[in-house]
C-alpha cells in the first residue's frame, strides 16, 4: 500500500478548484464511435466508477438523500481529482446525483483535469424496479432534474437511464419501462437544447444480454439508446482475450449501430495463479480493451471502483476528507491506463455503416413488446383527479396503498375492471392512460372507476373501501376535457398498434413461460408492499354483497 496524505492539498485546491480553464471539448456520437466535437478525433473512455457507499470512507449521506452525491463536496473533489488524473482517467461514472445540490466546484475541477462524466439518472430509492417496473411522474421528474443539473456542463458525455434492470429471464418485461425512460429523457434533452446522449448499462447474464442489446437498439431513433454500457467481469485473474470471452463480445457487437463500452469491469475473484481480492488485480485486460482487436468495436471502459469498501473492489482507501491511501491495484491500473494508446480515427474519414437491430419478438424468452409505456404528463394526471367522484383520502402511506391495490385490482373484485385505466402490460404493449400517474392518483382512479360501475343503490356505500376513500365533486376545468380526450385517444391508438382484441383484451398472451419461470408483463409498480396484496379484502366495509 502506498501512503499519501496529499501534502500539496492547499496548492491542489487552488489549481483544481480555482478559476475554470476553457471548457473541455464536448464528446459527441457519430455512428458507433465517440469523437471530440471540435477536432474530430476519436474518444476512448478510460474510466473509473466514482461513488462512495452510504456513510463510509470519510463522507456522510445528506439529510435529504440516502446516498452520497460524489460531486457536491468541493473538499472531497479536491482530494480525489488529482489522484484520478494521475491514474490516467479521462471519465468517471457516478450512480446517484442529488439534483438539488451545487456541483459547480467539482465539475469545474474535473473539467480542469480533463475528466468527463457519465451519470446514472436514478438513485437507490427512485429508479426502475425490475420486479415491479414503472415509468411514472416521480421517476420522470427525478430524471429530468438530474439532466437539468448536469447537462449544462460540457464535460458530461451522457446519462444511463437504467443499470442492470432486466438481469435474467424473469424480468425482461421491465425493458419496456427502461426504453420509455430513454425515449422521454432524450426528448427532454432535445427540448432544452442540451447535447448529451442517453444510454443503458446492461448486466452480463448470458440468457438475456443479446435480447436486451437488440431491444434497446431497435425501432425508431427517438426511443433507441445513444450508447450501450456493458457491466462485464469475465476477465478474471491471469486470463486472456479468448479465455475471457472478450473475443465473443467483440463479434456480438461488431454490427451494433451505437457506441459500446464497458460500463463496469475489473474482476476481483482471481484465477490462473492470481489470488482473489482487489489488491491482486493486475488489470492485464486493459491492454486488450485498448488494443487492435477491440477498439474497432468497443470505446474503452470504466473500472469498478475508486473507493475501497466491503465489496473489495477499491483502488484507494479514503481515510478522512483530506487524505487517501492508494492501494496496490491503483498502481497496477495506473501503469496500464497510462500505457494504453488506442488507435484513433478521425470523424471526417469515418462513414458509419451499421444499422439498428431488429426488435426481439415477444416469445418464451422475451416479454417486452415494442409498444412502450406512455410519457408521464402531470397535466393528464391532475385533470383526471379533478374529474373524479370518488377519490383516495389524503395521508395514505405506501404500504396501505399497495395493499388496497392488491385487493381492488384482483380479478375477483368487481369484475376485475377497476384498474383497467392504471395498469401497464409490457408484454401486450397495452397501457392504461393513467398508468404513468403517481400511486395515490392511480389508486384514486381505481376507486372512481369501481364506484362509477355501481348502480344507484350500491353507490350509497360504494365509495368507502375500508375508510380509505371519500366522495368528491368533480371540478369544472375548461382545459381538462381536451387533455383527457387526448390521453384516452393516445392509449387507444397504442393499444391498436399493440394488437389489442376488440373487447379490450390482448390478441397476444400476457404470460410467458421460460425455463419454468413465469414472465409477467403486467405492472402496477407496487414494489415490496405487493406481498400483502389481499390483506384489506375483509376490511372493505359495505362491499360484501357487491363482491358476491
Amino acid at each position: 500500500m502506498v501512503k499519501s496524505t496529499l501534502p500539496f492539498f492547499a496548492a491542489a485546491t487552488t489549481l483544481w478548484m480555482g478559476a475554470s480553464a476553457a471548457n473541455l471539448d464536448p464528446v459527441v456520437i457519430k455512428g458507433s464511435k465517440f469523437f471530440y466535437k471540435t477536432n474530430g478525433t476519436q474518444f476512448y473512455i478510460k474510466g473509473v466508477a466514482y461513488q462512495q457507499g452510504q456513510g463510509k470512507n470519510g463522507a456522510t449521506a445528506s439529510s435529504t438523500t440516502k446516498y452520497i452525491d460524489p460531486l457536491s463536496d468541493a473538499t472531497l473533489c479536491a482530494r480525489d481529482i488529482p489522484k484520478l488524473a494521475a491514474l490516467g482517467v479521462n471519465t468517471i461514472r457516478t450512480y446517484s446525483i442529488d439534483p438539488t445540490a451545487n456541483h459547480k466546484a467539482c465539475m469545474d475541477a474535473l473539467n480542469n483535469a480533463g475528466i468527463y462524466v457519465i451519470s446514472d439518472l436514478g438513485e437507490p430509492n427512485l429508479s426502475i424496479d425490475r420486479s415491479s417496473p414503472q415509468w411514472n411522474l416521480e421517476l420522470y421528474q427525478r430524471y429530468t432534474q438530474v439532466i437539468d443539473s448536469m447537462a449544462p456542463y460540457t464535460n458530461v458525455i451522457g446519462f444511463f437511464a437504467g443499470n442492470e434492470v432486466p438481469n435474467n429471464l424473469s424480468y425482461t418485461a421491465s425493458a419496456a419501462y427502461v426504453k420509455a425512460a430513454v425515449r422521454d429523457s432524450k426528448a427532454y434533452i432535445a427540448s432544452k437544447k442540451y447535447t448529451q446522449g442517453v444510454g443503458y448499462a446492461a448486466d452480463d447474464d448470458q440468457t438475456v444480454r443479446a435480447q436486451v442489446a437488440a431491444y434497446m437498439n431497435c425501432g425508431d431513433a427517438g426511443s433507441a439508446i445513444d450508447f450501450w454500457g456493458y457491466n462485464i467481469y469475465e476477465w478474471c485473474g491471469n486470463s486472456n482475450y479468448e479465455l475471457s470471452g472478450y473475443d465473443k463480445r467483440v463479434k456480438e457487437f461488431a454490427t451494433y449501430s451505437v457506441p459500446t463500452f464497458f460500463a463496469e469491469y475489473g474482476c476481483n475473484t482471481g484465477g490462473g495463479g492470481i489470488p482473489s481480492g482487489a489488491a491482486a488485480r493486475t488489470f492485464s485486460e486493459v491492454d486488450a480493451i485498448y488494443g487492435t482487436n477491440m477498439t474497432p468495436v468497443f470505446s474503452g471502459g470504466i473500472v469498478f471502483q475508486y473507493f475501497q469498501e466491503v465489496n473489495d473492489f477499491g483502488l484507494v482507501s479514503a481515510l478522512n476528507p483530506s487524505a487517501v491511501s492508494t492501494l496496490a491495484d491503483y498502481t497496477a491500473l495506473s501503469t496500464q491506463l497510462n500505457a494504453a494508446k488506442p488507435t484513433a480515427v478521425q470523424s471526417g474519414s469515418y462513414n458509419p455503416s451499421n444499422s439498428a437491430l431488429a426488435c426481439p419478438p415477444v416469445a418464451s424468452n422475451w416479454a417486452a413488446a415494442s409498444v412502450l409505456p406512455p410519457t408521464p404528463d402531470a397535466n393528464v394526471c391532475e385533470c383526471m383527479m379533478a374529474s373524479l367522484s370518488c377519490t383516495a383520502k389524503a395521508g395514505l402511506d405506501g404500504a396501505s396503498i399497495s395493499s388496497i391495490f392488491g385487493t381492488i385490482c384482483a380479478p375477483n373484485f368487481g369484475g376485475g375492471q377497476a384498474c383497467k385505466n392504471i395498469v401497464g402490460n409490457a408484454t401486450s404493449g397495452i397501457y392504461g392512460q393513467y398508468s404513468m400517474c403517481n400511486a395515490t392518483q392511480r389508486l384514486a382512479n381505481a376507486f372512481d372507476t369501481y364506484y362509477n360501475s355501481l348502480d344507484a343503490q350500491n353507490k350509497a356505500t360504494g365509495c368507502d373501501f375500508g375508510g380509505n376513500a371519500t366522495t368528491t365533486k368533480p371540478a369544472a376545468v375548461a382545459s381538462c376535457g381536451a387533455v383527457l380526450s387526448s390521453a384516452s385517444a393516445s392509449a387507444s391508438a397504442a393499444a391498436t398498434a399493440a394488437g389489442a382484441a376488440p373487447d379490450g383484451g390482448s390478441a397476444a398472451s400476457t404470460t410467458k413461460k421460460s425455463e419454468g419461470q413465469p414472465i409477467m408483463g403486467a405492472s402496477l409498480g407496487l414494489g415490496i408492499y405487493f406481498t400483502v396484496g389481499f390483506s384489506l379484502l375483509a376490511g372493505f366495509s359495505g362491499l360484501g354483497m357487491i363482491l358476491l
Side-chain angles (χ1 to χ4, degrees), residues 13 161 168 201 226 244 289 361 398 415 510 529 534:
T13 301
N168 63 45
D226 295 314
S244 65
I289 292 170
T510 59
Y529 300 116
F534 291 88

Side-chain angles (χ1 to χ4, degrees), residues 192-213:
K192 299 297 290 283
K193 301 188 185 311
Y194 299 143
T195 59
Q196 288 80 9
V198 180
Y200 175 69
D203 182 73
D204 188 34
D205 185 274
Q206 63 180 347
T207 64
V208 297
R209 61 190 176 201
Q211 299 99 307
V212 175

Side-chain angles (χ1 to χ4, degrees), residues 1-8 79-88 278-279 281 283 305-308 313-320 322-335:
M1 182 183 298
V2 180
K3 296 288 185 182
S4 171
T5 56
L6 298 184
F8 55 94
R79 178 195 69 185
D80 294 329
I81 290 174
K83 288 294 183 187
L84 290 166
L87 191 59
R281 293 190 294 183
F283 292 106
Q305 63 179 346
Y306 183 74
F307 296 103
Q308 173 71 341
F313 277 92
L315 300 167
V316 306
S317 175
L319 304 176
N320 57 60
S322 61
V324 296
S325 294
T326 58
L327 304 178
D329 55 345
Y330 175 96
T331 301
L333 180 60
S334 177
T335 299

Side-chain angles (χ1 to χ4, degrees), residues 123-265:
E123 55 104 331
N125 294 318
L126 198 56
S127 55
I128 298 173
D129 178 357
R130 67 174 67 92
S131 63
S132 187
Q134 279 282 294
W135 177 236
N136 55 30
L137 284 171
E138 294 100 325
L139 285 169
Y140 180 78
Q141 290 164 359
R142 158 75 194 181
Y143 279 35
T144 54
Q145 286 168 0
V146 172
I147 290 169
D148 280 336
S149 71
M150 299 298 291
Y153 299 103
T154 62
N155 57 328
V156 174
I157 295 173
F159 307 96
F160 284 127
N163 181 68
E164 298 188 1
V165 182
N167 66 347
N168 63 45
L169 286 171
S170 298
Y171 303 121
T172 60
S174 65
Y177 295 88
V178 176
K179 195 165 183 178
V182 170
R183 175 199 63 201
D184 294 339
S185 297
K186 289 177 62 170
Y188 183 79
I189 287 170
S191 74
K192 299 297 290 283
K193 301 188 185 311
Y194 299 143
T195 59
Q196 288 80 9
V198 180
Y200 175 69
D203 182 73
D204 188 34
D205 185 274
Q206 63 180 347
T207 64
V208 297
R209 61 190 176 201
Q211 299 99 307
V212 175
Y215 187 78
M216 295 299 174
N217 180 241
C218 74
D220 67 280
S223 62
I225 54 170
D226 295 314
F227 51 81
W228 170 268
Y230 205 173
N231 297 345
I232 184 168
Y233 295 89
E234 294 183 2
W235 188 302
C236 298
N238 189 22
S239 191
N240 59 52
Y241 180 62
E242 289 80 17
L243 183 63
S244 65
Y246 278 20
D247 60 332
K248 297 179 178 63
R249 305 292 84 79
V250 168
K251 290 177 181 177
E252 288 171 358
F253 286 93
T255 60
Y256 213 59
S257 65
V258 299
T260 60
F261 57 95
F262 290 174
E264 290 177 5
Y265 75 95

Side-chain angles (χ1 to χ4, degrees), residues 2 22 38 68 91 111 161 179 188 222 257 260 343 361 370 423 432 436 479 509 529 544:
V2 180
T38 301
I68 299 166
T91 306
N111 178 85
K179 195 165 183 178
Y188 183 79
S257 65
T260 60
T343 301
S370 298
V423 174
M436 45 72 176
S479 61
S509 172
Y529 300 116

